[in-house]
Amino acid sequence: MDFKLEVAKKISSLADMETEKAMELMEIPPQPNMGDYAFPCFQLAKVMRKSPNMIAKDLAEKIERDDIVEKAEAAGGYLNFFINKTGFIKHTISQILDQGSKYGSSKEGEGKTVLVEFSSPNIAKPFHIGHLVNTITGNAIEKIFKHLGYNTIKLNHLGDYGTQFGKLISAYKRWGNDEIIEKDPINELLKIYVKFHEEAEKDPTLDDEARLYFKHLEDGESEAIALWQKFRELSLKEFKKLYVDFNIEFDSYTGESFYSDKMPEVVEILKDKKLLKESSGAQIVDLEQFNLPPCLILKSDGATIYATRDLAAAIYRKRTYDFYKSLYVVGNTQALHFKQFFSVLELAGFEWAKDCVHIGTSLVKFADRKLASRKGDVIYAKEVVDEAVEKTLEIINSKNPNLENKEEVAKKVGMGAIIYTFLKNNMGRDIVFSWEDMLTFEGESGPNVLYSYVRGKSILKKAGNISGNADFSYLKTEDEFNIVKQLGSFKETVEQAAERYEPFVITRYVTDLAKAYNKFYNSHPILSAEEEVKIARLALTKAVCNVLTTGLGLLGIQTPESM
RNA sequence: GCGCUUGUAGCUCAGUUGGAUAGAGCAACGGACUUCUAAUCCGUGUGCCGGGGGUUCGACUCCCUCCAGGCGCACCA
């Protein structure tokens, strides 16, 4: 039973309005003492040609009291509903305890496949903080859609192709040392790659050599392929360490190289549709009708480019997965590229182009470049994780030195802090990175939410097995009702997060829920309350912990049992 | 120059499709641990919602314009 829907039905039956329309219009009053739901009568005023005030008053008189609505009163042009608290509390908590981790899920996604492309690091390049933001965001998006019943597929579109691999092969053959590379593959490969660039400035024949090696790679020459595979595997092994830390498993690691033989078809399709045009020796698709700059398909030397690869990948994915939606979680800075590439798909007659969505993740900037990193001008993902876990361990040692599995807990909490920080605000803004913000564990922070959870868990543990059913009429305080109201809006919250492609909606939700529970926790005893009250409050606590776990889980944050 | 995006409290940010007195955290000050983990809670105040027009019963929200920051504008990805 959905209380909001029931109220909407009542309005619908009394006023000349569809239930759905009433649902849309209904809001939550700014002050809790004004009611639980509010229906604005301003739109009705036009149709009924009466003042909103009058309409609200008329309706208020006609609304009958029952186990849904306790009372309805007119205020200004609003009709404010006070729902039957006991009924609502009982219904909500029972539902949560019944459904467990399924609470807030839905069937809207049944039978629909959603692809989520994210992370996509470049082979032999370090995984920096920008990749981390992207990885964390994509992971949350995927989990949110999965919770709504969609069949989700996680794609890691590795940057494993391109002329830079010719350079890397050349560099490796000159200066590569397997022993050092085995130890620290990515940094060492990066080092020789950088050295190659330096040397190539002095000696341009190196670039010719690199081009040759890339040609070998394209032609499938065995030595080049073997080296490329080696670089790829070593890098992937490193990346996977981080994915394991964050508990992320991809369904596919087919990167750019996978599509290298699928691009001629794209060019053929575009030719057939007469979309290709020559411009300064290159082949482009004109996008003037979309008010966009042209999309480059073939370079003037006839080679393909990233747009070509993305087109090939999109077509391949549609054939392979027949997706309902294909989400590209990629940095905001590439917005134009995606607009162009989606427009080309549309021009080529693929009606599913509208199902492709670019989710632009925030750009990470530094507040103070000097303090940006201990090592150089980029911050590595590993550096951030290590720092957060270490800081967490320090705090545990000072606040709860006898805790078991300190390391394990520190990892969960520290990484939770990072995820929380990155998914705290909407993606429209840049993230200004500062160690201070990242390692603040008070107020609106991941550890704070986890702390609320852990305290609840601790109470449940101490209570042991409770016999008998809870009588929710014992939950009489305002603080308790506020928690339940919060609990009841979880499903809407998940749906909104999916609709907006914004995980921060969930972050705010768990924060508010934790806040409501903390307030209650601080002023009402649970274990020492009278038996009936205690049982009811324990059920409430269990429901809160349940929803916190689920909500945090959607963000990719794991909950420790104690901290 | 063009396009996208952001501008809300000292700082970091929320503000659902236009709605009631614009809200949180941090920072500052004061208070609450013999009581379920004080990484918590309670209290104190601050806003020409970037500026100016317009639309309407009503605008932080929609439209126009200007200002400021960020990002992007084909042979890198």
Side-chain angles (χ1 to χ4, degrees), chain A residues 116 118-120 135 154-156 243 248-253:
Chain A
V116 189
F118 65 105
S119 199
S120 312
T135 304
K154 288 166 273 185
L155 306 173
N156 196 332
Y243 295 145
I248 300 172
E249 273 179 62
F250 287 92
D251 296 296
S252 160
Y253 287 95

Side-chain angles (χ1 to χ4, degrees), chain A residues 5-145:
Chain A
L5 182 65
E6 296 303 317
V7 173
K9 280 183 190 165
K10 284 175 186 290
I11 296 166
S12 171
S13 67
L14 292 176
D16 183 24
M17 180 176 275
E18 302 282 322
T19 307
E20 279 180 23
K21 179 76 180 163
M23 258 314 248
E24 273 178 40
L25 286 174
M26 271 208 302
E27 24 184 291
I28 291 168
Q31 304 294 326
N33 59 16
M34 298 167 96
D36 302 304
Y37 293 114
F39 177 75
C41 301
F42 305 97
Q43 291 206 8
L44 279 177
K46 283 184 186 163
V47 190
M48 298 168 74
R49 283 195 270 160
K50 279 201 287 188
S51 78
N53 245 316
M54 289 288 291
I55 297 170
K57 270 181 194 161
D58 281 358
L59 288 175
E61 277 170 28
K62 287 181 193 156
I63 296 280
E64 287 170 26
R65 298 161 141 235
D66 54 20
D67 52 353
I68 307 271
V69 175
E70 204 168 84
K71 65 171 173 172
E73 59 183 35
Y78 290 88
L79 178 59
N80 291 338
F81 291 87
F82 294 78
I83 57 174
N84 182 311
K85 291 186 181 177
T86 308
F88 180 72
I89 290 170
K90 183 181 174 197
H91 168 258
T92 306
I93 296 182
S94 319
Q95 199 182 31
I96 293 167
L97 298 182
D98 258 18
Q99 300 184 354
S101 60
K102 290 268 194 293
Y103 181 68
S105 67
S106 98
K107 290 185 174 168
E108 74 166 67
E110 226 171 29
K112 294 172 185 162
T113 298
V114 171
L115 308 186
V116 189
E117 177 192 301
F118 65 105
S119 199
S120 312
N122 293 319
I123 295 305
K125 297 264 176 68
F127 202 101
H128 59 72
I129 192 167
H131 291 115
L132 189 59
V133 170
N134 180 277
T135 304
I136 286 169
T137 308
N139 189 44
I141 296 271
E142 184 271 333
K143 285 181 154 51
I144 289 164
F145 274 88

Side-chain angles (χ1 to χ4, degrees), chain A residues 18 70 125 129 136 146 180 194 218 224 234 243 256 282 296 300 303 341 405 415 427 455 458 476 485 492:
Chain A
E18 302 282 322
E70 204 168 84
K125 297 264 176 68
I129 192 167
I136 286 169
K146 195 176 191 117
I180 305 176
V194 169
E218 285 198 295
L234 285 170
Y243 295 145
E256 293 169 357
L296 189 65
S300 45
F341 137 58
N405 325 314
M415 304 221 315
M427 292 184 241
R455 285 152 114 200
S458 170
K476 289 184 182 135
K485 270 212 281 195
E492 278 178 60

